[in-house]
Amino acid sequence: MKLSGEQRRKLQEALIDAFPDKASLEQMLSLELEKNLDAIAGGNTLTDIVFNLIETAKAQGWIEDLVRAAHKRNPGNPKLQTVAEELLTGSAAIPSTQQQNNRKKLLDDVKFEVNSRLEQSLHNAVLIELGKELQPERVKRPWDAEVKIGVKPSEPIPDTTKIIDVFTDSKIVGKLLILGEPGSGKTTTQLELAQDLIRRAEEQRDYPIPVLLNLSSWQDENQLIIDWLIAELQSKYGVSKPLGQEWLQNQQLLPLLDGLDEVKQVIQESCIKSINQFLQGEYSPQYLVVCSRSEEYGNHSSKLLLNGAIYLQPLTNNQIRDYFNEVSYTNLQRTIENDSNLLKLIRTPFFLSISILAFQEISIESWQQLSSTTDRIQHLLDAYVSRMLKREIDNKAYAKKKSPNVRQTQLWLVWLAQQLERESKTEFLIEEIQPYWLRVTSQIIYYRIVFGLIYGLIYGLIYGQIYGQIYGLIYGQIYGLIYGQIYGLIYGLTSWILPLEIKIIEKVIFLKNTKKEFIHNLIFLLVSWLVYGLIYGLIYGLIYGLTGLIYELIYGEPEPVVETKKKSNQGIWKSATNAVFMALIYGLIYGLIYGVTEVSGLSFGLIYGLMFGLIFGLTYGGSSCIQHFSLRLILYFNGYIPWNYARFLDYGTERLFLQRVGGRYRFIHKMVQEHFANMEFKQD
């Protein structure tokens, strides 16, 4: 049975009200429920027992049994009566077609992401079942809050245990911390867990949808995690804010949070506390998984309020030997096995994988002479980059074009990695490039000039046609171009008073205000039309009123939908499409009214309306496209990016530097991103 946050709160209150002491509650449990109740043994207070009981009941699927048993023991309790009726009769409402479509859409998108990332994983060729160890002392279970206990010992887990079995264990019940060393396979383990959770969500209509989010983008320590989750769901999966909020409040999402160690170090402690507030809050998730590097997590005094933690153990000698035998690299195997320092280094899946891929570029003698682990890692990553830049590949991205040379490829990847590190991001969308990525003042000025010239040219051409109809074609076009260029340059050069941000308009929203708001605004527009008409004429009043009405129709809260990015730079292309669409709609209506009511005729009215429609389109998405093009132009001429950026990013994917999921790109591993970011961007 699905249990919302509000229902869980009501049930907890009802149980505490119905059973005022631990003895009466335990008596009810022992007499009425023939279930495994070991997981509640840690409860100290009555509240602890009830909290753990409900969590276990949700995980084991016997909420109905619990409610029936409690109601049978206390039939006259009003709170319990209300909860029993709600849960046993009307809690499982049938979702609407739109709700079902939204759920399926998000599930399909997450499934595509998980499968794509696993297929592009560096160590996907030879799958190794990583050793796991339970480390209960690394978390603080909610029901341990008032129990004074000693250090809980670590517990080895059998090698055959799958991550989904750990997740569903009765002591963990879906609230898990995954720890490990850099490159130990934490993210891959989380992706494998996501695969199993997706299958469950596909089979069970009320099972929460797993979503993969990276905590590195949490940069404001005052931001609530639930607010961050809603924003990330919209940014990554295209889940509208109202729908994201609804899903989180109803426990219909299963957050899989990666990269706790990638949060800025000064606010990592605050991030842990914020997650704990979320776990204890009104909209606490039914399940939650967090991944972090072990050392960084251990540097903080706060612990996550989860039910359990596992540590991904280093690879054993047998696992390493089997891996080398599988890929037929016995020479490298013998060299590494005879050097304890190198053997220690490759005990993680990431380093083991890249040692195979980079073998032809590795200088074993130089590698062995390095004294520190940091230097050995640096040497290995340098060899990997060098090998991947040179190796022969099935080049589909530049099949009919000349590929970028080694130097260009490395420089463009360095610049991208440095921007992602500055922004604390792991994923990249082409349309998310912003003017503030330009770090040199002169480049920002050039960007503003280019934007002003292009904007002014388009603006001037439009006004040239309008003035051409009034003053004569040639004179009017010259006048319009001059006016447009002056206006565009002023707009571009003085836009420093506005934030350096490109806002993309990807969706045209119709009639999404409430009925009351719409009627109120419509009355206001009619009054404005009459006032404006009395001053300037009814025709202009009508046009003014129409303009306001169109704005009223297209602005408002978006409907609850899910819409992800499937293509590179999809946001800019949609913004351009919407600009043209709105220009035609506005221009057609404007032109018809003007053409019918003016003596100039319908044809002139339509031309006049189309021109003003194009101006409207500039403000509704067109300006964003011009900004994006101007910025790309400056970045290109400064050598930061190639002309066709999407093609290059696909090329980087083919060379195993990047991964691509739909229109999103990420480096093949966080350590590869960090390695490129630490390189110097030095042009010839």
Side-chain angles (χ1 to χ4, degrees):
M1 172 184 286
K2 175 187 160 207
L3 194 68
S4 70
E6 179 65 14
Q7 288 172 332
R8 183 181 62 179
R9 183 186 64 78
K10 288 181 179 179
L11 178 57
Q12 186 166 338
E13 289 179 355
L15 287 172
I16 293 174
D17 183 65
F19 302 96
D21 56 73
K22 290 193 293 181
S24 60
L25 177 61
E26 290 170 349
Q27 184 183 29
M28 183 275 291
L29 294 174
S30 62
L31 291 176
E32 304 292 346
L33 293 177
E34 296 180 0
K35 302 289 181 181
N36 179 10
L37 303 178
D38 293 341
I40 71 163
N44 183 45
T45 66
L46 180 65
T47 303
D48 295 331
I49 295 176
V50 170
F51 178 90
N52 194 18
L53 172 64
I54 295 174
E55 292 297 301
T56 306
K58 287 193 301 181
Q60 301 297 331
W62 44 274
I63 283 288
E64 293 96 334
D65 294 345
L66 172 62
V67 174
R68 288 192 182 95
H71 182 52
K72 181 178 178 181
R73 292 283 295 179
N74 290 268
N77 184 275
K79 285 188 178 180
L80 208 50
Q81 176 73 26
T82 302
V83 170
E85 290 176 356
E86 180 180 343
L87 292 179
L88 299 178
T89 61
S91 62
I94 299 174
S96 67
T97 302
Q98 182 63 53
Q99 290 172 327
Q100 294 180 54
N101 290 339
N102 286 335
R103 175 180 170 83
K104 185 178 185 306
K105 182 73 167 59
L106 182 57
L107 261 176
D108 289 344
D109 289 338
V110 177
K111 184 176 183 178
F112 176 73
E113 176 190 7
V114 170
N115 291 340
S116 297
R117 289 178 60 182
L118 283 174
E119 287 171 3
Q120 298 173 70
S121 173
L122 275 177
H123 45 275
N124 187 53
V126 179
L127 295 176
I128 300 174
E129 190 63 52
L130 300 175
K132 306 173 187 70
E133 180 182 79
L134 283 173
Q135 295 189 345
E137 78 282 358
R138 306 301 294 272
V139 294
K140 186 176 182 180
R141 298 183 303 175
W143 54 87
D144 288 340
E146 301 177 19
V147 185
K148 294 182 179 180
I149 55 176
V151 176
K152 297 179 281 292
S154 300
E155 304 174 29
I157 300 175
D159 294 340
T160 56
T161 305
K162 303 289 184 182
I163 185 62
I164 186 64
D165 298 327
V166 177
F167 177 84
T168 56
D169 184 87
S170 62
K171 294 180 181 179
I172 293 176
V173 288
K175 292 185 176 179
L176 176 67
L177 172 64
I178 300 175
L179 297 169
E181 303 307 313
S184 61
K186 300 180 295 296
T187 299
T188 302
T189 299
Q190 191 182 60
L191 290 171
E192 291 171 353
L193 173 61
Q195 275 190 323
D196 290 319
L197 295 175
I198 290 167
R199 279 192 286 269
R200 289 197 173 197
E202 289 176 329
E203 295 168 358
Q204 303 175 32
R205 189 185 66 188
D206 59 350
Y207 198 83
I209 307 167
V211 287
L212 297 155
L213 301 171
N214 196 289
L215 285 163
S216 62
S217 61
W218 189 81
Q219 301 180 43
D220 181 2
E221 58 183 329
N222 296 318
Q223 184 183 29
L224 297 176
I225 284 293
I226 191 167
D227 293 336
W228 171 82
L229 283 167
I230 292 170
E232 287 297 297
L233 287 167
Q234 184 181 46
S235 173
K236 180 172 182 178
Y237 294 111
V239 177
S240 65
K241 289 185 177 180
L243 182 58
Q245 185 173 5
E246 176 189 331
W247 276 349
L248 285 168
Q249 289 177 351
N250 293 330
Q251 297 182 311
Q252 292 176 277
L253 296 178
L254 198 167
L256 303 173
L257 307 182
D258 199 2
L260 176 59
D261 54 279
E262 296 170 24
V263 176
K264 292 179 181 177
Q265 188 173 3
V266 293
I267 60 172
Q268 282 182 18
E269 182 97 21
S270 298
C271 187
I272 294 173
K273 292 179 179 178
S274 187
I275 294 172
N276 287 341
Q277 290 175 355
F278 175 51
L279 287 165
Q280 293 179 303
E282 183 179 0
Y283 304 122
S284 171
Q286 185 175 356
Y287 309 116
L288 182 73
V289 178
V290 180
C291 284
S292 177
R293 291 179 181 176
S294 182
E295 182 179 352
E296 282 82 347
Y297 177 75
N299 290 334
H300 305 293
S301 58
S302 299
K303 295 181 180 179
L304 288 168
L305 296 175
L306 298 172
N307 297 339
I310 62 166
Y311 175 77
L312 300 181
Q313 295 179 314
L315 299 174
T316 64
N317 290 344
N318 287 336
Q319 286 176 316
I320 294 173
R321 189 177 299 111
D322 291 342
Y323 189 97
F324 280 126
N325 290 334
E326 187 74 25
V327 296
S328 302
Y329 271 71
T330 53
N331 291 335
L332 180 60
Q333 172 193 341
R334 284 193 292 269
T335 301
I336 289 178
E337 285 182 342
N338 292 327
D339 189 311
S340 60
N341 290 325
L342 296 184
L343 185 60
K344 181 180 178 181
L345 176 64
I346 66 165
R347 287 198 183 278
T348 64
F350 172 69
F351 289 123
L352 179 59
S353 300
I354 65 170
S355 68
I356 298 292
L357 293 169
F359 176 62
Q360 296 182 25
E361 293 290 328
I362 296 175
S363 171
I364 298 295
E365 184 177 348
S366 300
W367 200 17
Q368 290 175 316
Q369 291 176 354
L370 295 172
S371 57
S372 71
T373 301
T374 302
D375 290 338
R376 295 188 195 100
I377 291 174
Q378 179 74 21
H379 182 85
L380 181 57
L381 289 171
D382 282 338
Y384 173 75
V385 171
S386 178
R387 176 59 186 156
M388 293 301 103
L389 287 170
K390 296 176 183 177
R391 72 188 183 99
E392 294 292 328
I393 62 171
D394 182 14
N395 188 350
K396 297 178 181 177
Y398 288 94
K400 298 180 180 180
K401 301 283 184 179
K402 183 180 178 181
S403 302
N405 59 41
V406 169
R407 179 63 177 163
Q408 287 175 320
T409 302
Q410 184 167 324
L411 276 178
W412 292 334
L413 290 171
V414 167
W415 183 83
L416 175 59
Q418 290 176 349
Q419 303 312 311
L420 291 176
E421 287 292 300
R422 288 193 187 103
E423 297 295 311
S424 297
K425 291 183 177 181
T426 55
E427 291 189 324
F428 172 69
L429 284 162
I430 295 176
E431 57 264 48
E432 287 185 352
I433 298 175
Q434 294 292 341
Y436 53 76
W437 285 25
L438 297 170
R439 300 286 168 173
V440 182
T441 304
S442 60
Q443 294 173 354
I444 296 175
I445 294 174
Y446 291 145
Y447 157 72
R448 295 190 188 281
I449 291 174
V450 170
F451 167 68
L453 288 172
I454 297 174
Y455 189 90
L457 177 62
I458 297 173
Y459 200 86
L461 286 171
I462 295 171
Y463 262 95
Q465 294 299 318
I466 295 173
Y467 288 125
Q469 299 293 329
I470 300 173
Y471 302 112
L473 190 59
I474 297 178
Y475 174 77
Q477 286 180 339
I478 294 173
Y479 181 83
L481 281 172
I482 294 173
Y483 173 76
Q485 284 296 293
I486 294 173
Y487 175 80
L489 282 173
I490 293 173
Y491 181 65
L493 292 173
T494 59
S495 59
W496 57 269
I497 61 176
L498 301 173
L500 269 176
E501 184 177 1
I502 300 174
K503 294 185 178 181
I504 301 171
I505 299 176
E506 297 186 59
K507 191 172 183 61
V508 179
I509 306 163
F510 289 100
L511 284 172
K512 289 302 166 191
N513 285 334
T514 64
K515 183 178 180 180
K516 183 178 179 180
E517 290 173 336
F518 180 74
I519 293 174
H520 175 272
N521 292 334
L522 187 58
I523 293 172
F524 174 78
L525 291 171
L526 289 173
V527 173
S528 301
W529 168 25
L530 290 174
V531 173
Y532 199 91
L534 290 173
I535 298 173
Y536 296 101
L538 291 178
I539 178 60
Y540 294 103
L542 178 62
I543 293 171
Y544 175 80
L546 174 66
T547 303
L549 183 59
I550 291 176
Y551 269 87
E552 169 61 26
L553 289 174
I554 64 172
Y555 287 113
E557 286 298 318
E559 63 183 73
V561 295
V562 179
E563 187 173 357
T564 51
K565 305 291 178 59
K566 297 295 186 183
K567 299 178 181 178
S568 298
N569 213 17
Q570 180 174 313
I572 289 296
W573 287 110
K574 291 194 71 174
S575 192
T577 302
N578 288 334
V580 174
F581 174 74
M582 292 309 302
L584 292 174
I585 293 294
Y586 183 84
L588 179 61
I589 299 174
Y590 189 101
L592 284 172
I593 294 175
Y594 195 84
V596 170
T597 56
E598 285 289 320
V599 296
S600 303
L602 183 61
S603 59
F604 175 77
L606 288 174
I607 294 173
Y608 198 63
L610 180 60
M611 295 303 106
F612 274 99
L614 291 173
I615 293 173
F616 182 77
L618 272 180
T619 63
Y620 195 86
S623 179
S624 300
C625 297
I626 298 171
Q627 284 180 279
H628 181 80
F629 176 76
S630 303
L631 178 58
R632 292 270 295 272
L633 211 59
I634 297 300
L635 293 172
Y636 169 72
F637 280 111
N638 281 278
Y640 297 138
I641 64 173
W643 181 257
N644 190 327
Y645 206 8
R647 177 182 291 155
F648 169 73
L649 294 173
D650 289 339
Y651 177 69
T653 302
E654 292 173 348
R655 289 210 167 273
L656 293 184
F657 292 124
L658 303 172
Q659 291 178 340
R660 176 182 174 179
V661 179
R664 294 180 171 273
Y665 297 86
R666 62 165 58 226
F667 278 88
I668 197 79
H669 194 278
K670 185 65 166 82
M671 296 187 73
V672 175
Q673 177 178 314
E674 293 170 344
H675 184 69
F676 273 108
N678 290 328
M679 294 182 184
E680 184 179 2
F681 185 85
K682 188 175 181 180
Q683 296 171 301
D684 296 331

